[in-house]
Amino acid sequence: MSRSTRRDLYAVGAAVLLVTAAALAGHHIERTSRTLFVHWPPLLASWHPHLGPGTPAAVLVALATVAYGPALAARLPWRALLPVTWGAALAWTFSLALIDGWHRGIAGRLTTRHEYLRAVDRFHDIPAALRGFTRHILLDAPDNWPAHVAGHPPGATLTFVLLDRIGLGGGAWAGLWCITVGATACAAVLVTVRALTDENLARRAAPFLALAPAAVWMGTSADAYFAAVAAWAVALLALAVTRRSPWWAGASGLLFGLTCFLSYGLTLVAVIAAAVLLLGRHGIRGRPALLLPLLAGLAVAPAAFTLAGFNWWEAYQLLVTRYHQGAGGIRPYGYWVWANLACTALVVGPATVAGLRRTGSVLVRARDRAHSGMGRRPSDASSGARLRRADASADVRLASLVAGALLALLIADLSGMSKAETERIWLPFALWLLPACAFLTPPEPPGPAPDRTRAIPTRAWLGAQALLALLINHLLFTGW
C-alpha cells in the first residue's frame, strides 16, 4: 500500500473517530441535560431500522453506478455525460427517499408543521404577504410563521406558492420539484469544474457526484432546491469568466440575487463565487465589462423584493432573535461547533474525506513549488516558468475551488447560526466538496503494474459512499 493511500485511510479513520465522538458525547449531553434537541446526535434523526419500496431500486442504482459509472464517465461525450449524471443522481435520490415510503419520504415531507406548505394559504395576496412578512417572524408575534418559513426569506415560500398557482400544489408536487431540481446541482458542479480546471477532472468527479451520501437529505428537502439554484449561479459565473460572456454573467447575477432570497445563509456562497472570480481573473482582466451585467443581474431580486415591501436586513435581524428564542438559543455552541463537522463527514462520505486530504496535499505542494521557484537564479528562468505553470495546473485550480467551499462551510460553522440540522442546511456547500474525489482516481501513472495496484480502486471508494448512504437511510429516519 502506498504512503498516499495510507494517509487517505488515516483521514477516513479520523473522520470515523470524529463521528463516534460526536455520537457518544451527544447521547451523553442529551441524556443528562436534553439541550441538543436531536434524538440521534449528531444527526437530526431517530433510530428506525426499516426497509421500503425504494430499497431494491436504491441497491440496483448503487450497484450499477459502482460497476459502470467510472467507465461511462470516462467515455461518454460531454453533452451526454451531464444528463446521464443528473439522471443517475435523480434515480439515487428518489430511491433513497422511497425507502421511507411515498408519503413519509416524499409527499408528506414538506407538509409538516415546520414546513413551507403550511404557509401557502397565507399568500393569497402576495404583495400584502411580503409587506407584512417581518411582522410574523418572532415566536411571540401574532400568527407567527412556521419555523422554516420564518427562518428563510420569502423567496423560499413563494416558490411553493407559485407552484400552487400553476396547479402543482400539495406535498407530492413540492417533493418532486425539490428532488428533480436539486439533482441538477451535480451537473452544475461538473460544468464549473470543467470550465475552471479541465474535462478530465470533471469526468473523474462525476460518479461521486451522482452517488453522494448527501442524497439522503436531498430527498426530500427544500435545501436541495436551494443548493441547485446556488450551484447554477456559480456554474454560470464560471462560464462567464472563462468564455468572457456578458450573457452568462447576467444570468449568474440573477441566480445569485435569487439565492439570497431563498436562504439567508446562502450569502456565504459569495465565498465560492470569490474563488471562481479568482480562478477566472484573466477573463475579468481581459473583459472588465463582464462585471456590469453580473452586478445588474444581482440587483434584480433585491430590487423586486424591496419594492414589494420586504426588508431583507430587518428580517434577518428578527430571525436571529427568533433563533435564540427557540432551540438555537439552548443548543450548546461548544458541542455543535465540532459536531457539525461530523455531520458533514456523513453527508460527503469517506471518499470525500480522503479527497479533502489530497486537496490539502495539492495546495501544500503548490505552495512549496512556488517558494522554490521564487528562489531560483535568472538562469533557471525556464524551470521557474514551468513551476509557475504547475501552480496554475488543473489540480491546483480544483483544489482552490474545493478550499473555497470548505472555507464557506467553516464560516457558517463558526457563526453560531448553524447548530444541528447541518446535514440538510449545509447541502449547498457540501456539494462543492465532492469534486475532491477526483483526486482519488488519477490518470494511470507510468511504471510497472505493481505500482498501479497500490491505490484503492475507484469502485471501492464509490461502494463505500453508497454503503454509507444505504445504512443511514435504512437504520435511521432522517425526517425533521
PDB file of all heavy atoms in Angstrom, residues 132-169:
ATOM      1  N   GLY A 132     -46.007  42.370   4.948  1.00  0.00           N
ATOM      2  CA  GLY A 132     -46.195  42.027   6.366  1.00  0.00           C
ATOM      3  C   GLY A 132     -45.360  40.844   6.831  1.00  0.00           C
ATOM      4  O   GLY A 132     -45.538  40.368   7.952  1.00  0.00           O
ATOM      5  N   PHE A 133     -44.433  40.387   6.004  1.00  0.00           N
ATOM      6  CA  PHE A 133     -43.681  39.162   6.322  1.00  0.00           C
ATOM      7  C   PHE A 133     -42.931  39.277   7.649  1.00  0.00           C
ATOM      8  O   PHE A 133     -42.951  38.363   8.476  1.00  0.00           O
ATOM      9  CB  PHE A 133     -42.699  38.855   5.187  1.00  0.00           C
ATOM     10  CG  PHE A 133     -42.076  37.496   5.280  1.00  0.00           C
ATOM     11  CD1 PHE A 133     -42.695  36.392   4.722  1.00  0.00           C
ATOM     12  CD2 PHE A 133     -40.861  37.315   5.930  1.00  0.00           C
ATOM     13  CE1 PHE A 133     -42.128  35.133   4.812  1.00  0.00           C
ATOM     14  CE2 PHE A 133     -40.281  36.060   6.032  1.00  0.00           C
ATOM     15  CZ  PHE A 133     -40.915  34.958   5.474  1.00  0.00           C
ATOM     16  N   THR A 134     -42.264  40.392   7.868  1.00  0.00           N
ATOM     17  CA  THR A 134     -41.427  40.517   9.067  1.00  0.00           C
ATOM     18  C   THR A 134     -42.250  40.574  10.352  1.00  0.00           C
ATOM     19  O   THR A 134     -41.724  40.280  11.429  1.00  0.00           O
ATOM     20  CB  THR A 134     -40.547  41.777   8.976  1.00  0.00           C
ATOM     21  OG1 THR A 134     -41.379  42.922   8.760  1.00  0.00           O
ATOM     22  CG2 THR A 134     -39.558  41.657   7.824  1.00  0.00           C
ATOM     23  N   ARG A 135     -43.526  40.910  10.258  1.00  0.00           N
ATOM     24  CA  ARG A 135     -44.356  41.022  11.466  1.00  0.00           C
ATOM     25  C   ARG A 135     -44.689  39.677  12.080  1.00  0.00           C
ATOM     26  O   ARG A 135     -45.207  39.624  13.203  1.00  0.00           O
ATOM     27  CB  ARG A 135     -45.650  41.774  11.142  1.00  0.00           C
ATOM     28  CG  ARG A 135     -45.442  43.237  10.784  1.00  0.00           C
ATOM     29  CD  ARG A 135     -46.739  44.026  10.918  1.00  0.00           C
ATOM     30  NE  ARG A 135     -47.743  43.609   9.944  1.00  0.00           N
ATOM     31  CZ  ARG A 135     -47.888  44.165   8.733  1.00  0.00           C
ATOM     32  NH1 ARG A 135     -47.079  45.153   8.373  1.00  0.00           N
ATOM     33  NH2 ARG A 135     -48.821  43.748   7.914  1.00  0.00           N
ATOM     34  N   HIS A 136     -44.388  38.581  11.368  1.00  0.00           N
ATOM     35  CA  HIS A 136     -44.757  37.251  11.863  1.00  0.00           C
ATOM     36  C   HIS A 136     -43.549  36.347  12.084  1.00  0.00           C
ATOM     37  O   HIS A 136     -43.693  35.137  12.199  1.00  0.00           O
ATOM     38  CB  HIS A 136     -45.705  36.580  10.869  1.00  0.00           C
ATOM     39  CG  HIS A 136     -46.913  37.398  10.530  1.00  0.00           C
ATOM     40  ND1 HIS A 136     -47.936  37.616  11.421  1.00  0.00           N
ATOM     41  CD2 HIS A 136     -47.246  38.076   9.397  1.00  0.00           C
ATOM     42  CE1 HIS A 136     -48.859  38.376  10.849  1.00  0.00           C
ATOM     43  NE2 HIS A 136     -48.465  38.675   9.623  1.00  0.00           N
ATOM     44  N   ILE A 137     -42.365  36.921  12.185  1.00  0.00           N
ATOM     45  CA  ILE A 137     -41.155  36.100  12.329  1.00  0.00           C
ATOM     46  C   ILE A 137     -40.935  35.666  13.771  1.00  0.00           C
ATOM     47  O   ILE A 137     -40.645  34.491  14.043  1.00  0.00           O
ATOM     48  CB  ILE A 137     -39.921  36.861  11.791  1.00  0.00           C
ATOM     49  CG1 ILE A 137     -40.028  37.022  10.269  1.00  0.00           C
ATOM     50  CG2 ILE A 137     -38.631  36.130  12.161  1.00  0.00           C
ATOM     51  CD1 ILE A 137     -38.893  37.802   9.634  1.00  0.00           C
ATOM     52  N   LEU A 138     -41.064  36.565  14.731  1.00  0.00           N
ATOM     53  CA  LEU A 138     -40.771  36.238  16.121  1.00  0.00           C
ATOM     54  C   LEU A 138     -41.777  35.242  16.687  1.00  0.00           C
ATOM     55  O   LEU A 138     -42.944  35.206  16.274  1.00  0.00           O
ATOM     56  CB  LEU A 138     -40.768  37.504  16.970  1.00  0.00           C
ATOM     57  CG  LEU A 138     -39.693  38.548  16.616  1.00  0.00           C
ATOM     58  CD1 LEU A 138     -39.826  39.768  17.517  1.00  0.00           C
ATOM     59  CD2 LEU A 138     -38.305  37.946  16.717  1.00  0.00           C
ATOM     60  N   LEU A 139     -41.321  34.443  17.648  1.00  0.00           N
ATOM     61  CA  LEU A 139     -42.187  33.425  18.236  1.00  0.00           C
ATOM     62  C   LEU A 139     -43.384  34.032  18.959  1.00  0.00           C
ATOM     63  O   LEU A 139     -44.468  33.436  18.995  1.00  0.00           O
ATOM     64  CB  LEU A 139     -41.385  32.560  19.217  1.00  0.00           C
ATOM     65  CG  LEU A 139     -40.683  31.336  18.637  1.00  0.00           C
ATOM     66  CD1 LEU A 139     -39.905  30.610  19.730  1.00  0.00           C
ATOM     67  CD2 LEU A 139     -41.691  30.386  17.992  1.00  0.00           C
ATOM     68  N   ASP A 140     -43.187  35.207  19.552  1.00  0.00           N
ATOM     69  CA  ASP A 140     -44.290  35.825  20.284  1.00  0.00           C
ATOM     70  C   ASP A 140     -45.125  36.755  19.409  1.00  0.00           C
ATOM     71  O   ASP A 140     -45.991  37.482  19.908  1.00  0.00           O
ATOM     72  CB  ASP A 140     -43.762  36.591  21.501  1.00  0.00           C
ATOM     73  CG  ASP A 140     -42.665  37.589  21.157  1.00  0.00           C
ATOM     74  OD1 ASP A 140     -42.370  37.740  19.946  1.00  0.00           O
ATOM     75  OD2 ASP A 140     -42.108  38.214  22.074  1.00  0.00           O
ATOM     76  N   ALA A 141     -44.876  36.754  18.100  1.00  0.00           N
ATOM     77  CA  ALA A 141     -45.666  37.570  17.174  1.00  0.00           C
ATOM     78  C   ALA A 141     -46.992  36.887  16.889  1.00  0.00           C
ATOM     79  O   ALA A 141     -47.098  35.654  16.934  1.00  0.00           O
ATOM     80  CB  ALA A 141     -44.898  37.776  15.870  1.00  0.00           C
ATOM     81  N   PRO A 142     -48.030  37.650  16.602  1.00  0.00           N
ATOM     82  CA  PRO A 142     -49.322  37.027  16.259  1.00  0.00           C
ATOM     83  C   PRO A 142     -49.201  36.253  14.950  1.00  0.00           C
ATOM     84  O   PRO A 142     -48.595  36.714  13.988  1.00  0.00           O
ATOM     85  CB  PRO A 142     -50.263  38.225  16.118  1.00  0.00           C
ATOM     86  CG  PRO A 142     -49.372  39.394  15.853  1.00  0.00           C
ATOM     87  CD  PRO A 142     -48.098  39.122  16.580  1.00  0.00           C
ATOM     88  N   ASP A 143     -49.791  35.055  14.942  1.00  0.00           N
ATOM     89  CA  ASP A 143     -49.753  34.200  13.746  1.00  0.00           C
ATOM     90  C   ASP A 143     -48.326  34.038  13.217  1.00  0.00           C
ATOM     91  O   ASP A 143     -48.067  34.195  12.019  1.00  0.00           O
ATOM     92  CB  ASP A 143     -50.644  34.778  12.631  1.00  0.00           C
ATOM     93  CG  ASP A 143     -52.101  34.835  13.029  1.00  0.00           C
ATOM     94  OD1 ASP A 143     -52.554  33.896  13.704  1.00  0.00           O
ATOM     95  OD2 ASP A 143     -52.771  35.806  12.683  1.00  0.00           O
ATOM     96  N   ASN A 144     -47.406  33.705  14.131  1.00  0.00           N
ATOM     97  CA  ASN A 144     -46.009  33.577  13.709  1.00  0.00           C
ATOM     98  C   ASN A 144     -45.865  32.479  12.660  1.00  0.00           C
ATOM     99  O   ASN A 144     -46.595  31.485  12.654  1.00  0.00           O
ATOM    100  CB  ASN A 144     -45.091  33.320  14.904  1.00  0.00           C
ATOM    101  CG  ASN A 144     -45.422  32.024  15.624  1.00  0.00           C
ATOM    102  OD1 ASN A 144     -45.096  30.937  15.170  1.00  0.00           O
ATOM    103  ND2 ASN A 144     -46.087  32.150  16.772  1.00  0.00           N
ATOM    104  N   TRP A 145     -44.905  32.697  11.756  1.00  0.00           N
ATOM    105  CA  TRP A 145     -44.691  31.749  10.667  1.00  0.00           C
ATOM    106  C   TRP A 145     -44.166  30.412  11.200  1.00  0.00           C
ATOM    107  O   TRP A 145     -43.495  30.380  12.229  1.00  0.00           O
ATOM    108  CB  TRP A 145     -43.651  32.292   9.685  1.00  0.00           C
ATOM    109  CG  TRP A 145     -43.989  33.541   8.951  1.00  0.00           C
ATOM    110  CD1 TRP A 145     -43.347  34.738   9.028  1.00  0.00           C
ATOM    111  CD2 TRP A 145     -45.034  33.727   7.981  1.00  0.00           C
ATOM    112  NE1 TRP A 145     -43.912  35.662   8.179  1.00  0.00           N
ATOM    113  CE2 TRP A 145     -44.961  35.059   7.520  1.00  0.00           C
ATOM    114  CE3 TRP A 145     -46.030  32.890   7.467  1.00  0.00           C
ATOM    115  CZ2 TRP A 145     -45.831  35.582   6.577  1.00  0.00           C
ATOM    116  CZ3 TRP A 145     -46.899  33.412   6.516  1.00  0.00           C
ATOM    117  CH2 TRP A 145     -46.806  34.733   6.080  1.00  0.00           C
ATOM    118  N   PRO A 146     -44.436  29.311  10.497  1.00  0.00           N
ATOM    119  CA  PRO A 146     -43.769  28.049  10.823  1.00  0.00           C
ATOM    120  C   PRO A 146     -42.249  28.229  10.783  1.00  0.00           C
ATOM    121  O   PRO A 146     -41.737  29.147  10.126  1.00  0.00           O
ATOM    122  CB  PRO A 146     -44.250  27.098   9.732  1.00  0.00           C
ATOM    123  CG  PRO A 146     -45.547  27.677   9.260  1.00  0.00           C
ATOM    124  CD  PRO A 146     -45.406  29.166   9.398  1.00  0.00           C
ATOM    125  N   ALA A 147     -41.525  27.344  11.445  1.00  0.00           N
ATOM    126  CA  ALA A 147     -40.085  27.524  11.649  1.00  0.00           C
ATOM    127  C   ALA A 147     -39.317  27.744  10.353  1.00  0.00           C
ATOM    128  O   ALA A 147     -38.486  28.653  10.259  1.00  0.00           O
ATOM    129  CB  ALA A 147     -39.524  26.312  12.396  1.00  0.00           C
ATOM    130  N   HIS A 148     -39.570  26.931   9.334  1.00  0.00           N
ATOM    131  CA  HIS A 148     -38.788  27.056   8.103  1.00  0.00           C
ATOM    132  C   HIS A 148     -39.183  28.300   7.304  1.00  0.00           C
ATOM    133  O   HIS A 148     -38.347  28.874   6.608  1.00  0.00           O
ATOM    134  CB  HIS A 148     -38.952  25.801   7.240  1.00  0.00           C
ATOM    135  CG  HIS A 148     -38.230  24.626   7.792  1.00  0.00           C
ATOM    136  ND1 HIS A 148     -38.186  23.410   7.143  1.00  0.00           N
ATOM    137  CD2 HIS A 148     -37.517  24.456   8.927  1.00  0.00           C
ATOM    138  CE1 HIS A 148     -37.481  22.556   7.866  1.00  0.00           C
ATOM    139  NE2 HIS A 148     -37.079  23.173   8.950  1.00  0.00           N
ATOM    140  N   VAL A 149     -40.420  28.720   7.410  1.00  0.00           N
ATOM    141  CA  VAL A 149     -40.846  29.948   6.730  1.00  0.00           C
ATOM    142  C   VAL A 149     -40.188  31.140   7.394  1.00  0.00           C
ATOM    143  O   VAL A 149     -39.625  32.023   6.720  1.00  0.00           O
ATOM    144  CB  VAL A 149     -42.376  30.085   6.757  1.00  0.00           C
ATOM    145  CG1 VAL A 149     -42.811  31.401   6.115  1.00  0.00           C
ATOM    146  CG2 VAL A 149     -43.029  28.910   6.054  1.00  0.00           C
ATOM    147  N   ALA A 150     -40.228  31.187   8.715  1.00  0.00           N
ATOM    148  CA  ALA A 150     -39.609  32.296   9.447  1.00  0.00           C
ATOM    149  C   ALA A 150     -38.099  32.298   9.276  1.00  0.00           C
ATOM    150  O   ALA A 150     -37.469  33.365   9.291  1.00  0.00           O
ATOM    151  CB  ALA A 150     -39.957  32.199  10.928  1.00  0.00           C
ATOM    152  N   GLY A 151     -37.517  31.131   9.097  1.00  0.00           N
ATOM    153  CA  GLY A 151     -36.073  31.014   9.032  1.00  0.00           C
ATOM    154  C   GLY A 151     -35.477  31.316   7.673  1.00  0.00           C
ATOM    155  O   GLY A 151     -34.254  31.207   7.503  1.00  0.00           O
ATOM    156  N   HIS A 152     -36.297  31.684   6.693  1.00  0.00           N
ATOM    157  CA  HIS A 152     -35.807  31.957   5.342  1.00  0.00           C
ATOM    158  C   HIS A 152     -36.476  33.213   4.795  1.00  0.00           C
ATOM    159  O   HIS A 152     -37.587  33.572   5.204  1.00  0.00           O
ATOM    160  CB  HIS A 152     -36.120  30.781   4.407  1.00  0.00           C
ATOM    161  CG  HIS A 152     -35.388  29.523   4.774  1.00  0.00           C
ATOM    162  ND1 HIS A 152     -35.802  28.712   5.797  1.00  0.00           N
ATOM    163  CD2 HIS A 152     -34.278  28.948   4.250  1.00  0.00           C
ATOM    164  CE1 HIS A 152     -34.970  27.685   5.903  1.00  0.00           C
ATOM    165  NE2 HIS A 152     -34.039  27.799   4.976  1.00  0.00           N
ATOM    166  N   PRO A 153     -35.831  33.870   3.863  1.00  0.00           N
ATOM    167  CA  PRO A 153     -36.510  34.969   3.166  1.00  0.00           C
ATOM    168  C   PRO A 153     -37.734  34.423   2.424  1.00  0.00           C
ATOM    169  O   PRO A 153     -37.830  33.211   2.170  1.00  0.00           O
ATOM    170  CB  PRO A 153     -35.439  35.479   2.191  1.00  0.00           C
ATOM    171  CG  PRO A 153     -34.145  34.962   2.708  1.00  0.00           C
ATOM    172  CD  PRO A 153     -34.449  33.667   3.382  1.00  0.00           C
ATOM    173  N   PRO A 154     -38.658  35.280   2.047  1.00  0.00           N
ATOM    174  CA  PRO A 154     -39.917  34.794   1.462  1.00  0.00           C
ATOM    175  C   PRO A 154     -39.771  34.141   0.094  1.00  0.00           C
ATOM    176  O   PRO A 154     -40.706  33.493  -0.377  1.00  0.00           O
ATOM    177  CB  PRO A 154     -40.781  36.052   1.388  1.00  0.00           C
ATOM    178  CG  PRO A 154     -39.826  37.190   1.428  1.00  0.00           C
ATOM    179  CD  PRO A 154     -38.672  36.731   2.260  1.00  0.00           C
ATOM    180  N   GLY A 155     -38.626  34.290  -0.561  1.00  0.00           N
ATOM    181  CA  GLY A 155     -38.451  33.632  -1.847  1.00  0.00           C
ATOM    182  C   GLY A 155     -38.619  32.131  -1.751  1.00  0.00           C
ATOM    183  O   GLY A 155     -39.086  31.479  -2.697  1.00  0.00           O
ATOM    184  N   ALA A 156     -38.239  31.549  -0.608  1.00  0.00           N
ATOM    185  CA  ALA A 156     -38.376  30.104  -0.417  1.00  0.00           C
ATOM    186  C   ALA A 156     -39.852  29.699  -0.447  1.00  0.00           C
ATOM    187  O   ALA A 156     -40.263  28.833  -1.225  1.00  0.00           O
ATOM    188  CB  ALA A 156     -37.728  29.693   0.903  1.00  0.00           C
ATOM    189  N   THR A 157     -40.654  30.327   0.407  1.00  0.00           N
ATOM    190  CA  THR A 157     -42.079  30.001   0.455  1.00  0.00           C
ATOM    191  C   THR A 157     -42.781  30.387  -0.839  1.00  0.00           C
ATOM    192  O   THR A 157     -43.680  29.679  -1.316  1.00  0.00           O
ATOM    193  CB  THR A 157     -42.746  30.715   1.635  1.00  0.00           C
ATOM    194  OG1 THR A 157     -42.017  30.419   2.830  1.00  0.00           O
ATOM    195  CG2 THR A 157     -44.186  30.265   1.804  1.00  0.00           C
ATOM    196  N   LEU A 158     -42.365  31.507  -1.419  1.00  0.00           N
ATOM    197  CA  LEU A 158     -43.002  31.989  -2.644  1.00  0.00           C
ATOM    198  C   LEU A 158     -42.855  30.981  -3.783  1.00  0.00           C
ATOM    199  O   LEU A 158     -43.730  30.883  -4.655  1.00  0.00           O
ATOM    200  CB  LEU A 158     -42.402  33.334  -3.045  1.00  0.00           C
ATOM    201  CG  LEU A 158     -43.182  34.185  -4.036  1.00  0.00           C
ATOM    202  CD1 LEU A 158     -44.588  34.451  -3.527  1.00  0.00           C
ATOM    203  CD2 LEU A 158     -42.450  35.501  -4.280  1.00  0.00           C
ATOM    204  N   THR A 159     -41.790  30.205  -3.787  1.00  0.00           N
ATOM    205  CA  THR A 159     -41.625  29.157  -4.800  1.00  0.00           C
ATOM    206  C   THR A 159     -42.794  28.185  -4.767  1.00  0.00           C
ATOM    207  O   THR A 159     -43.372  27.848  -5.803  1.00  0.00           O
ATOM    208  CB  THR A 159     -40.309  28.384  -4.555  1.00  0.00           C
ATOM    209  OG1 THR A 159     -39.209  29.275  -4.658  1.00  0.00           O
ATOM    210  CG2 THR A 159     -40.155  27.252  -5.561  1.00  0.00           C
ATOM    211  N   PHE A 160     -43.158  27.758  -3.566  1.00  0.00           N
ATOM    212  CA  PHE A 160     -44.238  26.779  -3.435  1.00  0.00           C
ATOM    213  C   PHE A 160     -45.607  27.436  -3.643  1.00  0.00           C
ATOM    214  O   PHE A 160     -46.554  26.770  -4.088  1.00  0.00           O
ATOM    215  CB  PHE A 160     -44.143  26.093  -2.072  1.00  0.00           C
ATOM    216  CG  PHE A 160     -42.836  25.385  -1.882  1.00  0.00           C
ATOM    217  CD1 PHE A 160     -41.847  25.931  -1.078  1.00  0.00           C
ATOM    218  CD2 PHE A 160     -42.568  24.198  -2.545  1.00  0.00           C
ATOM    219  CE1 PHE A 160     -40.627  25.302  -0.917  1.00  0.00           C
ATOM    220  CE2 PHE A 160     -41.350  23.559  -2.394  1.00  0.00           C
ATOM    221  CZ  PHE A 160     -40.376  24.104  -1.581  1.00  0.00           C
ATOM    222  N   VAL A 161     -45.690  28.706  -3.350  1.00  0.00           N
ATOM    223  CA  VAL A 161     -46.923  29.442  -3.647  1.00  0.00           C
ATOM    224  C   VAL A 161     -47.146  29.482  -5.157  1.00  0.00           C
ATOM    225  O   VAL A 161     -48.254  29.227  -5.649  1.00  0.00           O
ATOM    226  CB  VAL A 161     -46.856  30.871  -3.070  1.00  0.00           C
ATOM    227  CG1 VAL A 161     -48.037  31.705  -3.554  1.00  0.00           C
ATOM    228  CG2 VAL A 161     -46.821  30.828  -1.546  1.00  0.00           C
ATOM    229  N   LEU A 162     -46.099  29.784  -5.907  1.00  0.00           N
ATOM    230  CA  LEU A 162     -46.216  29.847  -7.360  1.00  0.00           C
ATOM    231  C   LEU A 162     -46.480  28.481  -7.969  1.00  0.00           C
ATOM    232  O   LEU A 162     -47.236  28.361  -8.946  1.00  0.00           O
ATOM    233  CB  LEU A 162     -44.945  30.466  -7.958  1.00  0.00           C
ATOM    234  CG  LEU A 162     -44.684  31.930  -7.563  1.00  0.00           C
ATOM    235  CD1 LEU A 162     -43.373  32.425  -8.144  1.00  0.00           C
ATOM    236  CD2 LEU A 162     -45.839  32.817  -8.017  1.00  0.00           C
ATOM    237  N   LEU A 163     -45.877  27.425  -7.409  1.00  0.00           N
ATOM    238  CA  LEU A 163     -46.204  26.070  -7.875  1.00  0.00           C
ATOM    239  C   LEU A 163     -47.688  25.789  -7.678  1.00  0.00           C
ATOM    240  O   LEU A 163     -48.347  25.208  -8.547  1.00  0.00           O
ATOM    241  CB  LEU A 163     -45.362  25.030  -7.118  1.00  0.00           C
ATOM    242  CG  LEU A 163     -43.896  24.884  -7.524  1.00  0.00           C
ATOM    243  CD1 LEU A 163     -43.190  23.903  -6.585  1.00  0.00           C
ATOM    244  CD2 LEU A 163     -43.771  24.399  -8.960  1.00  0.00           C
ATOM    245  N   ASP A 164     -48.201  26.212  -6.538  1.00  0.00           N
ATOM    246  CA  ASP A 164     -49.633  26.020  -6.261  1.00  0.00           C
ATOM    247  C   ASP A 164     -50.493  26.792  -7.251  1.00  0.00           C
ATOM    248  O   ASP A 164     -51.519  26.296  -7.727  1.00  0.00           O
ATOM    249  CB  ASP A 164     -49.918  26.469  -4.825  1.00  0.00           C
ATOM    250  CG  ASP A 164     -51.347  26.236  -4.418  1.00  0.00           C
ATOM    251  OD1 ASP A 164     -51.705  25.076  -4.145  1.00  0.00           O
ATOM    252  OD2 ASP A 164     -52.127  27.223  -4.388  1.00  0.00           O
ATOM    253  N   ARG A 165     -50.052  27.998  -7.628  1.00  0.00           N
ATOM    254  CA  ARG A 165     -50.832  28.834  -8.543  1.00  0.00           C
ATOM    255  C   ARG A 165     -50.926  28.227  -9.944  1.00  0.00           C
ATOM    256  O   ARG A 165     -51.896  28.458 -10.656  1.00  0.00           O
ATOM    257  CB  ARG A 165     -50.199  30.228  -8.640  1.00  0.00           C
ATOM    258  CG  ARG A 165     -50.270  31.034  -7.342  1.00  0.00           C
ATOM    259  CD  ARG A 165     -51.671  31.601  -7.099  1.00  0.00           C
ATOM    260  NE  ARG A 165     -51.754  32.313  -5.843  1.00  0.00           N
ATOM    261  CZ  ARG A 165     -51.486  33.604  -5.687  1.00  0.00           C
ATOM    262  NH1 ARG A 165     -51.108  34.322  -6.726  1.00  0.00           N
ATOM    263  NH2 ARG A 165     -51.605  34.172  -4.505  1.00  0.00           N
ATOM    264  N   ILE A 166     -49.901  27.447 -10.334  1.00  0.00           N
ATOM    265  CA  ILE A 166     -49.947  26.850 -11.678  1.00  0.00           C
ATOM    266  C   ILE A 166     -50.503  25.431 -11.656  1.00  0.00           C
ATOM    267  O   ILE A 166     -50.396  24.693 -12.640  1.00  0.00           O
ATOM    268  CB  ILE A 166     -48.547  26.868 -12.332  1.00  0.00           C
ATOM    269  CG1 ILE A 166     -47.562  26.003 -11.556  1.00  0.00           C
ATOM    270  CG2 ILE A 166     -48.039  28.287 -12.468  1.00  0.00           C
ATOM    271  CD1 ILE A 166     -46.211  25.848 -12.234  1.00  0.00           C
ATOM    272  N   GLY A 167     -51.108  25.061 -10.539  1.00  0.00           N
ATOM    273  CA  GLY A 167     -51.764  23.751 -10.456  1.00  0.00           C
ATOM    274  C   GLY A 167     -50.903  22.631  -9.922  1.00  0.00           C
ATOM    275  O   GLY A 167     -51.302  21.465  -9.991  1.00  0.00           O
ATOM    276  N   LEU A 168     -49.735  22.952  -9.390  1.00  0.00           N
ATOM    277  CA  LEU A 168     -48.841  21.923  -8.840  1.00  0.00           C
ATOM    278  C   LEU A 168     -48.752  22.081  -7.329  1.00  0.00           C
ATOM    279  O   LEU A 168     -47.671  22.099  -6.743  1.00  0.00           O
ATOM    280  CB  LEU A 168     -47.452  22.029  -9.482  1.00  0.00           C
ATOM    281  CG  LEU A 168     -47.386  21.918 -11.006  1.00  0.00           C
ATOM    282  CD1 LEU A 168     -45.959  22.043 -11.498  1.00  0.00           C
ATOM    283  CD2 LEU A 168     -47.991  20.590 -11.464  1.00  0.00           C
ATOM    284  N   GLY A 169     -49.899  22.188  -6.687  1.00  0.00           N
ATOM    285  CA  GLY A 169     -49.937  22.369  -5.244  1.00  0.00           C
ATOM    286  C   GLY A 169     -49.861  21.049  -4.503  1.00  0.00           C
ATOM    287  O   GLY A 169     -50.050  19.972  -5.069  1.00  0.00           O
TER     288      GLY A 169
END
